[in-house]
Amino acid sequence: MEAVTQSKPTSDPAPVTIAVDAEGYLLDAGQWSPEVAQAIAAEVGVALTQEHWKVLGFCREDFARQGQSPNVRRIGLLSGVPMKDLYRLFPKGPGKLAARIAGLPKPK
C-alpha cells in the first residue's frame, strides 16, 4: 500500500485589498482594523506604542461623535497627549498622520 501525503490547509487568510485615495487615506472607513493601522503605520515608518493607540482611539471616538476628523489642535486639547508629544509621535503633521493611521478622512 502506498503512503498518501496530504498538504495541510494554510491558516493564513487571503490578502485583503484596502482601497485608499491618492494620499493614502482609506476610502471606506469600515475596512479599518488595528491590523490595518499597523500596516499603515509601518508604511510611513511609525512604530505604534500605547501612546499612539491613545491618540488613535481618541481620533476614532471623536470622529464618531463629531462626524469629521479632529484637527491637531483638538487632539492636543482633548486627547490627554500634549501637543509637543503629538509631533514626536506623528512627525510631519500629527493631525493628518493620526487620521490616516486611524482610518479617518483627512482633517480640514
Side-chain angles (χ1 to χ4, degrees):
M1 190 167 195
E2 287 183 36
V4 178
T5 305
Q6 294 181 343
S7 61
K8 292 172 82 175
T10 61
S11 60
D12 293 335
V16 177
T17 302
I18 305 291
V20 296
D21 67 13
E23 294 180 274
Y25 292 88
L26 295 184
L27 293 176
D28 177 3
Q31 290 188 306
W32 185 88
S33 69
E35 293 78 19
V36 169
Q38 290 280 5
I40 295 169
E43 181 181 294
V44 297
V46 173
L48 296 178
T49 64
Q50 294 245 347
E51 233 177 341
H52 288 94
W53 286 111
K54 181 177 181 179
V55 174
L56 298 176
F58 167 79
C59 290
R60 292 190 57 80
E61 290 170 12
D62 193 68
F63 177 81
R65 283 191 304 271
Q66 302 295 322
Q68 63 184 9
S69 298
N71 61 30
V72 68
R73 182 179 176 95
R74 184 172 179 81
I75 297 169
L77 289 173
L78 301 176
S79 72
V81 177
M83 188 71 74
K84 67 180 176 95
D85 290 341
L86 290 175
Y87 280 90
R88 176 180 51 79
L89 295 168
F90 301 95
K92 300 180 185 176
K96 292 177 185 176
L97 188 53
R100 182 174 168 198
I101 295 171
L104 303 175
K106 184 177 178 180
K108 296 178 180 177

